[in-house]
Amino acid sequence: MIQSIRTQLAALLAIVFLAPFSFAQLHVLVDQVGYDTTAPKLALIQGTAQDHPAQFTLVDASTGKVVFTGTPKPAGSVYDWDVPHGNVYWTADFSAFNQPGHYALDTRDANGEAHSCAFQIESDLLERTTLSNVVYYFKGQRASGQMDKADRHLKIPNKPGYVDVHG
């Protein structure tokens, strides 16, 4: 009786700890900001050597309708990146699609399917969503205002290679 319980417990533990390594699992990695209508549009499909995604589909997030289909191209692995799992990657190129909207990228293989998060395709998307953050960052890095006034008393050597850094 006790031997039977130990055998069952060992089998259960083997399933729990070895199952993640025996099943292939795909992940679709997209640009979280989105894609510009005229720019290249690439996503990565992450999996293991046992995975073989044959195609990917671009799906309209609001209607669920497939609007573009493509074939992933093998991109290999990345040295010393996620070593224990041995991930390999495929590139999903949907640059030919340029219709603005909200989309998701799907793929599947014999072991299951994977879906990306929703993302946008729009004109000037990168500039509209990140430009204010970039300007805010650079403004914060400037030596101006109180910091500049506090440093005005410092002498700037009059030698080649030195630059006036006030304001």
Side-chain angles (χ1 to χ4, degrees):
M1 171 84 171
I2 292 176
Q3 185 65 27
S4 174
I5 292 173
R6 285 184 181 161
T7 304
Q8 290 175 352
L9 184 58
L12 179 63
L13 288 174
I15 290 171
V16 168
F17 289 111
L18 296 178
F21 299 107
S22 63
F23 296 115
Q25 187 173 11
L26 294 172
H27 297 281
V28 181
L29 311 170
V30 295
D31 187 333
Q32 63 194 27
V33 174
Y35 300 89
D36 193 276
T37 53
T38 60
K41 294 173 226 28
L42 300 171
L44 287 177
I45 300 171
Q46 175 186 359
T48 65
Q50 292 78 32
D51 296 315
H52 299 287
Q55 74 173 24
F56 66 89
T57 55
L58 184 64
V59 178
D60 186 310
S62 59
T63 65
K65 180 181 174 186
V66 173
V67 294
F68 185 86
T69 302
T71 303
K73 295 193 176 25
S77 60
V78 178
Y79 175 75
D80 210 20
W81 204 21
D82 199 23
V83 173
H85 298 94
N87 288 333
V88 294
Y89 297 88
W90 295 265
T91 304
D93 187 349
F94 53 106
S95 300
F97 186 82
N98 58 15
Q99 185 66 37
H102 293 262
Y103 302 96
L105 207 65
D106 297 343
T107 190
R108 69 178 314 120
D109 70 355
N111 298 311
E113 56 187 47
H115 313 279
S116 75
C117 62
F119 58 87
Q120 291 177 221
I121 296 177
E122 290 186 22
S123 295
D124 303 321
L125 180 66
L126 185 62
E127 291 86 357
R128 284 188 290 109
T129 56
T130 63
L131 188 58
S132 66
N133 294 333
V134 171
V135 170
Y136 180 79
Y137 169 79
F138 282 114
K139 183 179 174 189
Q141 298 305 309
R142 285 186 59 199
S144 62
Q146 296 297 329
M147 289 187 289
D148 191 42
K149 288 178 187 172
D151 291 340
R152 283 278 180 198
H153 71 283
L154 298 174
K155 297 214 184 260
I156 299 172
N158 190 12
K159 294 182 180 178
Y162 285 94
V163 178
D164 183 354
V165 293
H166 291 108

